[in-house]
Amino acid sequence: MERQFTKEIESLRLGNGATFHGEGILAVTKALLQSGVSYVGGYQGAPVSHLLDVMVQAREYMDELGVHVEACTSEASAAAMLGASINYPARGAVTWKSIVGTNVAADALSYLASAGVMGGTLIVLGEDYGEGGVVAQERSHAFALKSLMWLLDPRPNLSTIVEQVEKGFELSEASNTPVMMELRIRACHVRGSFAAKDNIAPAVSTRNKLDGPPKEFIYDRLAHPPATFRQEKLKNDVRLPAARKFIAQNRLNEIFPGTEKVGLVVQGGLWNGLQRALGVLGLADPFGTSPLPILCLNVVYPLVPEEIVAFAKDKSALLVLEEGQPEFIEQEIATLLGRADAPAKLHGKDCLHMAGEYNVEALVRGLSKFLAQHAPHLDVSRGSQWLKEIEKTKKDAAESLGALPVRPPTFCVGCPERPVFSAMKLVAQEVGRPHVSMDVGCHAFASFEPFSQGNTLLGYGMSLAAAAGVNPMSSKRAVAVMGDGGFWHNGLLSGVASNLMNKGDGVLIIMKNGYASATGTQELLSSPPEDARMIAVGASSVHADTTIEDTLRGLGVKWLRTVDNYDVGAMVRTYKEAMTTRQKGLKVIVAEGECQLERQRRLRPEVLKKLSNKERHVRVKYGVDEDTCTGDHSCIRLSGCPTLTVKDNPDPLRRDPVATVIDGCVGCGLCGENAHAAVLCPSFYRAEVIQNPTWWDKLWNAQ
Ligand code: SF4
Ligand code: SF4
């Protein structure tokens, strides 16, 4: 696991009178316990991974409270867990990265939203949108609209976030509807504090069990026709009005009054950026007091028509600040104002861009444009000056950095996935370049230089399925690459089962590194057992678990090989065979090598302990003999390891820089393997750095 949450787990125990300090997402975790949640599930992914990670590590305390925690194998299984709240007064919460996770969960969510809930349900979405986002840029808002689920978007400060979690459960129960809460990256990681409350032991729990299904069988709780027709009507006729009433009565949205006759309507999640922008424009003091009235929507769906109309009543113009496309909120407000014959002129996407994040710069520009039309008496010249300075900084930076080479993201130093792509690159020189269907995970780094492999990327665990159409039309076998995380998430059924059922061909490479590495090395069904991990210290990184291989064999995969990733020669031979054999059917290579990040996290404390005990420790490091290096850098083009780089040629008669290995080398061995497999110049050497040498080491190595 990426982090130890020892301190955070202690914070979860805080009660009345104590103050919680920490990150936004951990405040959500605490708020769930303060709300008497019965069960929590989810699937890891930034920026919400910590919610589940901390709960998994706090299992002992969760057991004490009677809270069931489940690390689900996909977002679909997490969403389906919420079924526990359809018939029972049990509060449940699940979490995942959106939009991708919400897509995966969509089936269960539709049925859940149709049936409605008795116990409050909260879906915490890591809204991975904008700068730093790593998924397709779409909004979760669309799911709220299509399924009639409510969507919270709280102001990013810990007290508001916690209050919205608590109220979110009440809203869910008052309207029998699942509630989603979107938290952007910055909201998850914003730091702050709030007054803690005692945790509430859940009404229904692992300690306070149900004595059976509901006494009376309620057919209407099944999302099944004809009940679904009634449920659709209930959504609009009963649940929606109930939700609006609750939102208004509990003032979930906040009005910040001002003296001006123009107003701003903002998504809660954009609040901090807006405050900064107003400050830049000279229209807010450091505490956020502004002459501009603001309606902060902590609930972005549903809107409460009376609230919108009342806010607009005495305004000549409104500006809606809504990130992303399309402008769902602006369109709804336009409808509401039109129906109410409200005179306020409505602006939004005409002042700010349609697609992409609303950072402070964008907000300053948009506000300036709006105010120039509707409040020209306000002096916003400070904002114009600030924008000019930003422009100048960008221009200066571009001029100074113009010649800087691009630095694509890449694998960690010593990553076991790098050698596989080196092998694929070598084989491509012989058999030609195949279509490579890439998947979500660390291996996607191979899409960048120096590997440039990966022609499509269609979702987590979807690479083999995405190759199904290409393979029959290709003269060379299409290759799908998938991690073990993706395999268990979706690849086994969407890819392997589908390929076998259709008697497909093609090559599948499964990176068996042992964990869902890209999301923080969470454990999988096939993670190495603890004792096998310890065996790996200082020895082979290969682990013994064969769950993936057994599963594939059981399904009927006939051509199956497991290869040690770092053995590039073996990988080259196996991959070439897979690409060229006459044998029909799916060819699966399980590329085995433990995630180096996780391995180093385990090794480092072990090594430190040895060194502080003055015990002998041998560190392997690779190096380049600068006299032998020809300077053609083929080794770098085959590896891309950040610690294999170049330096000035020490030979005054040669101008090409020579390859060099810098100190971060973890001695994975790829340099030697590549030099051997690709028959490169013999400049690499393997060195053993002995710390705390014995007398025998000293004697043996004496010159
Ligand atoms: S996290 Fe693990 S699998 Fe991912 S790039 Fe780093 S070493 Fe490789
Ligand atoms: S041996 Fe080569 S590839 Fe492996 S960590 Fe060292 S420099 Fe990087």
Side-chain angles (χ1 to χ4, degrees), residues 300-337:
V300 286
Y301 183 74
L303 298 181
V304 180
E306 297 76 22
E307 270 182 10
I308 302 290
V309 173
F311 181 71
K313 199 173 62 182
D314 55 351
K315 313 282 184 307
S316 58
L318 292 184
L319 175 65
V320 180
L321 298 164
E322 177 186 9
E323 197 172 56
Q325 62 181 327
E327 67 276 55
F328 295 118
I329 300 173
E330 187 184 336
Q331 286 180 23
E332 195 176 343
I333 291 178
T335 305
L336 296 174
L337 296 185

Side-chain angles (χ1 to χ4, degrees), residues 5 84 462 565:
F5 291 99
M462 302 296 277
N565 292 16

Side-chain angles (χ1 to χ4, degrees), residues 345-402:
K345 183 119 177 56
L346 188 66
H347 292 270
K349 293 292 182 184
D350 54 339
C351 291
L352 287 106
H353 55 254
M354 179 64 90
E357 184 174 322
Y358 280 4
N359 57 19
V360 175
E361 190 185 339
L363 289 167
V364 168
R365 282 185 203 286
L367 286 164
S368 303
K369 197 168 168 189
F370 170 71
L371 294 173
Q373 288 178 63
H374 295 286
H377 57 280
L378 292 176
D379 177 13
V380 292
S381 54
R382 277 175 54 182
S384 317
Q385 187 53 36
W386 184 81
L387 286 171
K388 273 189 202 141
E389 282 162 21
I390 295 270
E391 281 304 314
K392 184 172 177 315
T393 308
K394 283 185 186 169
K395 194 164 158 275
D396 291 349
E399 276 168 18
S400 326
L401 304 177

Side-chain angles (χ1 to χ4, degrees), residues 175-226:
S175 58
N176 304 115
T177 302
V179 171
M180 305 196 291
M181 173 183 273
E182 60 179 349
L183 292 171
R184 293 167 179 76
I185 299 169
R186 291 188 180 95
C188 286
H189 299 308
V190 71
R191 295 193 74 84
S193 57
F194 67 92
K197 290 187 213 151
D198 290 344
N199 295 331
I200 298 176
V204 178
S205 73
T206 55
R207 291 182 171 268
N208 192 15
K209 298 193 178 189
L210 297 161
D211 57 359
K215 301 260 176 301
E216 190 192 339
F217 178 75
I218 311 170
Y219 174 77
D220 280 353
R221 295 216 189 272
L222 283 174
H224 185 275

Side-chain angles (χ1 to χ4, degrees), residues 651-662:
D651 183 344
L653 299 177
R654 291 166 63 201
R655 291 176 55 195
D656 288 334
V658 288
T660 185
V661 176
I662 56 176

Side-chain angles (χ1 to χ4, degrees), residues 632-697:
D632 79 336
H633 310 142
S634 339
C635 52
I636 293 174
R637 286 192 291 277
L638 260 185
S639 153
C641 175
T643 53
L644 174 59
T645 179
V646 289
K647 67 173 184 185
D648 287 342
N649 201 319
D651 183 344
L653 299 177
R654 291 166 63 201
R655 291 176 55 195
D656 288 334
V658 288
T660 185
V661 176
I662 56 176
D663 200 38
C665 169
V666 294
C668 78
L670 176 61
C671 284
E673 286 288 324
N674 271 348
H676 189 67
V679 202
L680 303 179
C681 69
S683 52
F684 281 97
Y685 61 83
R686 179 184 185 277
E688 289 188 349
V689 182
I690 303 174
Q691 290 162 286
N692 297 330
T694 60
W695 67 268
W696 174 250
D697 291 320

